[in-house]
Amino acid sequence: MSENSLKTPEIRPALSLGRQLGAFLLGAFIATAVGAAAHAQGDRNPARGQSTTIEGPSETTDEAEPEDAPETDEIRTLRKALYKAVRRARSSSGARHVEQDEGFETIARRHALDMVERGYMAHRSPEGDGPRERVYAIFPDFVGIAGENIAMRSIRPDEDADETALAAVEAWMDSPPHRKNMLDQRHGHVGIGVADNGKATYIVMLLASEPSYRPPPPPEPRPDIESIPGAEDMSTDSKPAENKAETAPGS
């Protein structure tokens, strides 16, 4: 089965990019170097979840971006439960705390929506754009390590958000490539996106070593002239008066 042949929310045999555990269909894009830090390191087929390094910003295709429609209460509740479950799994395994990142959350949510709207389940869109292209499309100056886990399962009406989140995280933890992403000590930031089509729930988790956006540093304060020994105040008000020769009357 090809990566883009999943057209219904029913669970199908595992795709080449991931594996099926329990009732979840999974995919892992192993943590990869993104940006200048990966210069001249090559690329080892990221579509199959292998370790990859990425060389600098690249041109992105004109992928149709889904609009950022408001979240439903159910989706918001599940997303929050997923953050808790991910942090709990990392903490219990000795991995460092990860901060919620709104930028990566936006990227993850848009990819989840795109998979729902266009009927596929993969790290790469039908146009071939993967996590690297999605990050660069919004944050072209990002440099760091990034990894992505995805999951899909048919909705279970008798299951609450905490149970769904726990099942998704446990499925990731039971799969070596997904577990590697989950517990990577280099990751300190995470964004989770969730979308559904009324029949199945799609989950995208984007982990990274650096925040999606770093604000520019504040301007350095102007030094206090009086505190610098030997400094001369060159402001207009402090300039010495010019010496003018007095002219005697009748001279």
Side-chain angles (χ1 to χ4, degrees):
M1 181 182 295
S2 68
E3 290 182 5
N4 301 321
S5 61
L6 186 62
K7 298 300 182 182
T8 73
E10 298 303 320
I11 298 301
R12 301 291 184 84
L15 306 183
S16 61
L17 60 88
R19 57 184 300 195
Q20 184 176 334
L21 283 175
F24 275 96
L25 184 62
L26 309 177
F29 187 96
I30 301 301
T32 212
V34 179
H39 180 67
Q41 293 294 319
D43 189 340
R44 296 175 53 197
N45 198 358
R48 294 181 181 172
Q50 298 179 3
S51 297
T52 64
T53 49
I54 296 174
E55 179 181 351
S58 63
E59 293 184 1
T60 59
T61 61
D62 294 331
E63 177 178 349
E65 282 192 354
E67 295 182 1
D68 293 337
E71 284 185 319
T72 64
D73 291 338
E74 291 79 8
I75 292 295
R76 187 179 301 108
T77 300
L78 176 55
R79 182 170 51 79
K80 291 180 179 178
L82 283 161
Y83 278 116
K84 292 179 182 178
V86 167
R87 286 171 174 152
R88 190 180 304 116
R90 285 179 62 90
S91 176
S92 63
S93 301
R96 68 182 178 125
H97 178 78
V98 285
E99 297 289 342
Q100 182 175 342
D101 188 294
E102 292 185 1
F104 293 137
E105 186 174 289
T106 296
I107 295 170
R109 182 162 181 259
R110 287 181 178 179
H111 185 47
L113 286 168
D114 191 51
M115 288 192 292
V116 166
E117 293 183 359
R118 299 205 282 170
Y120 69 97
M121 169 70 177
H123 294 283
R124 294 188 177 276
S125 70
E127 293 80 12
D129 288 346
R132 168 183 63 177
E133 289 78 17
R134 290 190 286 275
V135 170
Y136 281 138
I138 303 180
F139 305 106
D141 296 326
F142 175 84
V143 175
I145 302 297
E148 181 182 83
N149 283 356
I150 60 176
M152 184 274 285
R153 187 176 71 166
S154 297
I155 294 174
R156 298 185 175 184
D158 59 339
E159 188 175 75
D160 64 23
D162 289 333
E163 291 171 332
T164 301
L166 179 61
V169 171
E170 286 181 345
W172 282 333
M173 291 291 284
D174 287 340
S175 168
H178 301 86
R179 181 183 179 91
K180 182 178 180 179
N181 272 347
M182 282 279 296
L183 304 182
D184 195 324
Q185 288 282 23
R186 296 172 296 179
H187 295 323
H189 305 269
V190 61
I192 296 175
V194 181
D196 73 59
N197 58 7
K199 297 180 180 180
T201 300
Y202 292 72
I203 301 170
V204 178
M205 176 178 65
L206 186 60
L207 292 150
S209 60
E210 307 297 329
S212 58
Y213 171 73
R214 289 185 182 277
E220 295 184 3
R222 189 175 181 181
D224 185 359
I225 295 297
E226 295 181 358
S227 66
I228 303 178
E232 181 180 356
D233 189 348
M234 300 300 293
S235 62
T236 304
D237 295 340
S238 62
K239 288 184 179 180
E242 296 181 0
N243 293 326
K244 296 183 179 180
E246 294 185 359
T247 304
S251 60

